[in-house]
Amino acid sequence: MKLNVGTIRSTCNGFSSIAELAQDARALFLDNAELDFSSCRFFEANMAAPLYVVIARLRDDLNDVIIHNLRPATENILKKNQFLTVFNMGVLTDTNQTTLPFKIFKRQAGGQFNDYLDTYMRGRGIPSMSDALTKRFRQSLFEIFLNAAIHSDSELGIFVCGQFFPQLHRLDFTIADAGVGFRENVRRYTGQKRMSSCAAIEWALTEGNTTKTGNQPGGLGLKLIKEFIRKNEGKLQIVSRFGYYEFSSKGDSFNRMDHDFPGTCVNIEINTQDASSYCLKSELSSDDIF
Amino acid sequence: MDKSITIKVADLIGSPLCISAEDGQKVFDKVEGFLKDGRNVIISFDRVTMLISLFLNVAIGQLYGSFSEEEIRTKLRVEGLSGDDMELLKRVVDNAKRYYANPQQYDAAWQDEGDEDEQ
């Protein structure tokens, strides 16, 4: 089966296009899937993570997946970020060091994810952000990674990828999984069998709400990330099944996508020129906290 | 008063990364045991390089399900946290107090929200 991949950017349309691929290929089993990039004029490299959600599902159904007709610029960037290594299509040295390579992690691999960030967020062309900004950014990425590990209910792994856009002073980092999505988790937890994907994302964004079982408090991670993104004037996107959520300095927006993305993807875009102080000189003591 | 027990988190979980719920549970189990015995506990975050809310919810937030605020305030201390991590812990503790005060509150508010048929 031929699947046409169009231009893919980190937008609602870009995610919806990837979801459409998944929907078109849903019935494939022990078959061939050819991702045809001939109509793809531009592919934002961090979007390799959600694209791999589709590929992981296809491979899990024992399909052979191949990539065809990449334009040279797209092939270059996808070789630089090592995405094409999963198709044995080679790798290019990332001379400008603007990529955080595509990588598949096991759900339990929090330590390896830390090593990955150590390797690719320091001493490369990736921006020399302040230590405080770097810490908040990394904390946010860990919150997302560990949430994917807990909630995805999928053994296919967690797919990560990042791209620095030097002229724009923006760094996008994308974490995706091929799991059950917010909707399924929130429906199970609340008993709301018909809750929509957007409503489920909204539920999960509410401080204190968590589908984690075991009588434990939770539901702070996404709220903290939003606070960070607000201060940083960056952007947060959450895609899960039919739901698309975006938060930026322009505000919140939810959109119901036309197609069903078979998992969850979170993209954080940060403003790398942010000079805000994130190091709070807190006077809090244990007495104040407890 | 008994001498306080110091729990060195990085040693206990064998990592400077306080990121997983499983490791948070290890810390919770130790702290809960000592508090039940009436001991004073210091949780030391020395050498910890990464701390997220997910870990703190389990390690410390969960204590509010077993002990009163008064017990925790008089018997538990933390050390080795930077200012911003202390603020993070404060958020986690406030969230936990709300959660255990009324764990069903958030769910109930959503009973009639957002129904929409999706395939």
Side-chain angles (χ1 to χ4, degrees):
Chain A
M1 181 182 195
K2 188 159 97 172
L3 298 162
N4 290 311
V5 182
T7 293
I8 303 285
R9 298 179 191 276
S10 309
T11 61
C12 186
N13 282 341
F15 284 106
S16 188
S17 295
I18 290 174
E20 187 175 9
L21 296 173
Q23 207 157 288
D24 291 346
R26 183 182 284 172
L28 285 187
F29 182 72
L30 280 171
D31 208 330
N32 297 303
E34 178 189 333
L35 295 177
D36 184 344
F37 277 72
S38 54
S39 52
C40 175
R41 293 185 304 281
F42 190 79
F43 191 98
E44 280 185 9
N46 56 293
M47 295 297 278
L51 180 61
Y52 195 77
V53 168
V54 180
I55 294 165
R57 291 266 186 158
L58 284 165
R59 287 181 160 178
D60 193 47
D61 286 333
L62 305 176
N63 297 292
D64 277 333
V65 183
I66 54 171
I67 286 190
H68 268 172
N69 298 326
L70 287 164
R71 296 185 184 204
T74 306
E75 184 166 346
N76 279 351
I77 191 66
L78 293 180
K79 280 185 172 171
K80 283 181 183 173
N81 83 350
Q82 302 178 24
F83 179 66
L84 293 181
T85 60
V86 300
F87 299 96
N88 295 317
M89 290 173 69
V91 62
L92 281 178
T93 305
D94 181 16
T95 325
N96 297 325
Q97 298 183 326
T98 56
T99 66
L100 290 103
F102 174 78
K103 184 131 176 94
I104 302 168
F105 290 96
K106 299 290 180 199
R107 288 200 294 170
Q108 302 78 9
Q112 289 168 28
F113 182 59
N114 184 64
D115 295 342
Y116 168 96
L117 294 177
D118 277 348
T119 303
Y120 295 108
M121 280 189 60
R122 289 206 182 272
R124 295 168 64 92
I126 305 293
S128 46
M129 303 186 297
S130 72
D131 286 347
L133 174 58
T134 301
K135 181 180 175 185
R136 284 298 298 268
F137 183 46
R138 286 178 66 139
Q139 271 179 325
S140 299
L141 297 181
F142 272 108
E143 294 274 7
I144 296 165
F145 185 94
L146 271 296
N147 269 301
I150 290 173
H151 296 299
S152 68
D153 199 15
S154 165
E155 295 302 326
L156 299 181
I158 299 168
F159 320 126
V160 311
C161 204
Q163 182 68 34
F164 175 45
F165 300 95
Q167 272 83 34
L168 301 172
H169 308 291
R170 297 268 150 173
L171 173 60
D172 280 66
F173 197 90
T174 311
I175 298 177
D177 67 70
V180 296
F182 281 63
R183 191 185 73 177
E184 182 62 25
N185 278 316
V186 178
R187 281 181 177 183
R188 280 181 200 160
Y189 185 80
T190 63
Q192 301 294 300
K193 304 289 183 213
R194 295 175 63 234
M195 184 181 275
S196 72
S197 298
C198 286
I201 295 172
E202 192 176 3
W203 184 94
L205 282 164
T206 304
E207 184 163 343
N209 278 1
T210 176
T211 59
K212 212 169 45 169
T213 54
N215 194 28
Q216 291 169 346
L220 267 183
L222 286 171
K223 181 83 178 170
L224 295 168
I225 292 167
K226 271 183 73 172
E227 289 172 10
F228 164 55
I229 292 295
R230 180 183 287 117
K231 188 169 180 181
N232 174 260
E233 297 181 341
K235 187 165 75 178
L236 168 68
Q237 294 164 303
I238 301 173
V239 177
S240 189
R241 304 298 300 267
F242 287 94
Y244 175 86
Y245 169 76
E246 181 172 320
F247 172 76
S248 70
S249 54
K250 295 173 191 158
D252 285 276
S253 65
F254 287 93
N255 282 297
R256 184 191 185 280
M257 299 196 303
D258 291 335
H259 307 285
D260 186 1
F261 179 75
T264 296
C265 182
V266 179
N267 182 46
I268 291 190
E269 182 179 283
I270 59 163
N271 163 19
T272 59
Q273 282 192 314
D274 182 8
S276 305
S277 170
Y278 292 92
C279 267
L280 298 172
K281 296 282 181 282
S282 175
E283 302 297 325
L284 287 174
S285 70
S286 290
D287 291 337
D288 304 315
I289 288 173
F290 299 124
Chain B
M1 185 191 288
D2 285 347
K3 190 173 182 300
S4 295
I5 304 278
T6 298
I7 294 175
K8 296 176 182 175
V9 172
D11 288 353
L12 178 63
I13 67 174
S15 168
L17 305 174
C18 292
I19 56 175
S20 78
E22 290 76 13
D23 286 339
Q25 188 66 37
K26 277 187 200 169
V27 175
F28 170 80
D29 289 342
K30 292 287 183 204
V31 176
E32 184 191 40
F34 286 122
L35 290 182
K36 276 186 174 165
D37 289 343
R39 306 294 297 271
N40 292 327
V41 176
I42 298 170
I43 304 177
S44 168
F45 288 91
D46 283 345
R47 296 197 300 111
V48 167
T49 57
M50 179 54 63
L51 180 67
I52 65 172
S53 71
L54 185 78
F55 174 93
L56 289 173
N57 284 328
V58 181
I60 296 179
Q62 200 181 183
L63 292 169
Y64 287 87
S66 304
F67 304 97
S68 69
E69 288 183 32
E70 185 59 27
E71 283 175 292
I72 293 172
R73 197 177 298 120
T74 54
K75 297 211 166 290
L76 184 64
R77 304 191 67 76
V78 290
E79 61 180 33
L81 287 178
S82 63
D84 47 331
D85 285 336
M86 288 290 267
E87 294 283 347
L88 174 63
L89 176 59
K90 174 77 174 150
R91 294 287 295 271
V92 165
V93 165
D94 290 347
N95 188 54
K97 288 177 182 175
R98 283 196 299 272
Y99 175 81
Y100 288 111
N102 187 0
Q104 298 306 313
Q105 177 188 349
Y106 295 112
D107 305 343
W110 285 79
Q111 287 299 306
D112 298 316
E113 295 283 335
D115 277 4
E116 179 188 319
D117 206 4
E118 286 178 2
Q119 294 305 307

